[in-house]
Amino acid sequence: MTMLVYVVRRLLGAIPTLAVIVALSFVMTRLAPGGPFDEEQALPPEIRANLEAAYGLDQPVVVQFGRYVNGLLHGDFGPSYKFRDFTVTELISSGLPVSLTIGAAAILLALLLGIPAGIWAALRQDRLADRLVMSLAVAGISVPVFVIAPFLALVFGIWLHWLPVAGWAPGRPGDLVLPVVTLALPVIAYLARLMRGSLLEVLRAPWIRAARARGLPPHRILLLHALPGALLPVVSYLGPAVAAVLTGSLVVETIFGLPGMGRHLVQGALNRDYTLVMGMVIVYATLMITLNLMADLVYAWLDPRIRRERRL
Amino acid sequence: MSGRGSLWRDALGRLAGNRVALVSLAVLALMVVAAVVGPLLLDYRQDEIDWAHMAVPPFSAEGHWLGTDRLGRDLLVRTLHGLRVSMGIALLATLVSLAIGVSWGAVAGYLRGRTDALMMRVVDVLYALPQVFFVIILTVVFGRSPVTLLVAIGAFGWLTMARIVRGQALALREREFVEAAIVGGAGTARIVTRHIIPNLLGPVIVFATLTVPQVILVESFLSFLGIGIQEPLASLGNLIADGAVEMETATWILAVPAACLVSLVFCFNFLGDGLRDALDPRDH
């Protein structure tokens, strides 16, 4: 089987999952007791009927679902029930670039710091550097994003005045530092632990001993013989890392006042804005599944065992 | 029987030799006692406003050991209440996912074949969903009550458990004592409940211990965002959210619940790791 067949099969496999996500989120929001227009003061029945007709809520549920899916296929997520002047699609397209920017920057930062930290710890196993990196990693894994974020804002924003505490303006990269670092820290911690473990395991492998016996220089053994194999678990962690960053962005965008998708989702959830929440969840789910898929494909491409097997 | 007894005794011995795990266990026990008993012994109720002492720092006002928040509510009492709510939800949600996960996995692994494939397909599909986001949808739909939170988190938490248990059950059913039970005329229900499930206890205990901090984190994450536990009820998450608003002038309102949450999660993780090492010596 060639790599291409594998790619196509995996892509097709993602479609049923997406369908389940759309159907499940639609059904869940229709199970809701009460409608989206239940306010403190009851609306006069005529106005209520007009509103429901305007949003298509007077139709049978099956028709509503058909319309919704049809809209989705055309990139239309429907109107927001609470932000009456915006469609969900407008809110998504304004928020997505912000969320993607900080998310991508966080993953990149995590790779750049986490992998070298793990390698360093593995090469200095059981010495001070190793202990230090690993203690920091345990801390990074156990301290949740919503504790890291206010803590960093307090230290670097309020006490030291180095960075802005909140806000977002184009062309002010300083605004992005704290959000990106906050999102990256847990991923750095995980990557460092993972990298250390897998490198230590590979360094014990017979082919590494053979390379040492042949008198190859240590940096050559590390870079050419040990690292390629040791990096595989790191690649397979990329999928969960993306999920962690996307989930964390809800907190980070809320705390640092970034106008991303996460903040829209939280606002939507607080306002019980069904279409907004549904649309955001569908976009987040699609992002996670797509990026997970890409990580899997990279893994399959890198792992010679899988690659060769597929060529047979 | 004596074989199994000594297995557990060995595990206990290994756990007793793990100082980090023991300290974690002690700290956790202390926190549970404090959360359950503490609020009864202190002078203030969690929603009681002390008009004379608003936003006082720790150790500066009589009776308010860890200070008060902006509304003059005692921070120690509120944090202990938050601990109670967060731990309560975490323990119950873990029990819910244990019950579903263990029975689902044990049945699938024991029956094998088409039933197993179908049951595990359900798990695979649910696994692919972004769970936190569906928990958010559920809280939007059914209101932000502790019960919704509990059910929503429990509804997704059982998936990994089902996978672990199924794998173990697949291996266990090939063992001689199961064959002996079948020969002895025991029915499927009896074999699953009497022979498969008791032998799954080790991995189940380890995984449950590691599930509790995960649930605590999800619950406080949602409460932090305002989607979980609502005021005046305290949870570690919404206390941290309160503190984050005030941190510029009153750092302790953030520091007290944050320190509590972080030590809670630390201890559960260390204890879980310790239990895993103790119950599964192959890992060494």
Side-chain angles (χ1 to χ4, degrees), chain B residues 18 29 37 47 52 60 79 84-85 92 94 104 114 148 165-166 168 178 195 210 218 241 259 266:
Chain B
N18 185 335
V37 183
D47 53 352
S60 61
T79 304
R84 207 187 248 190
V85 169
L92 286 175
T94 304
W104 195 273
R114 209 175 288 163
T148 314
V165 168
R166 169 185 172 264
Q168 296 279 326
V178 175
H195 296 280
L210 292 169
V218 172
F266 258 112

Side-chain angles (χ1 to χ4, degrees), chain B residues 85 206 279:
Chain B
V85 169
V206 171
L279 287 168

Side-chain angles (χ1 to χ4, degrees), chain A residues 103-120:
Chain A
I107 295 270
L108 200 65
L109 182 68
L111 289 173
L112 286 177
L113 293 180
I115 293 178
I119 297 176
W120 192 45

Side-chain angles (χ1 to χ4, degrees), chain A residues 206-217 221 225:
Chain A
W207 72 85
I208 298 295
R209 224 179 309 145
R212 286 208 186 105
R214 277 188 286 147
L216 293 182
I221 295 179
H225 297 254

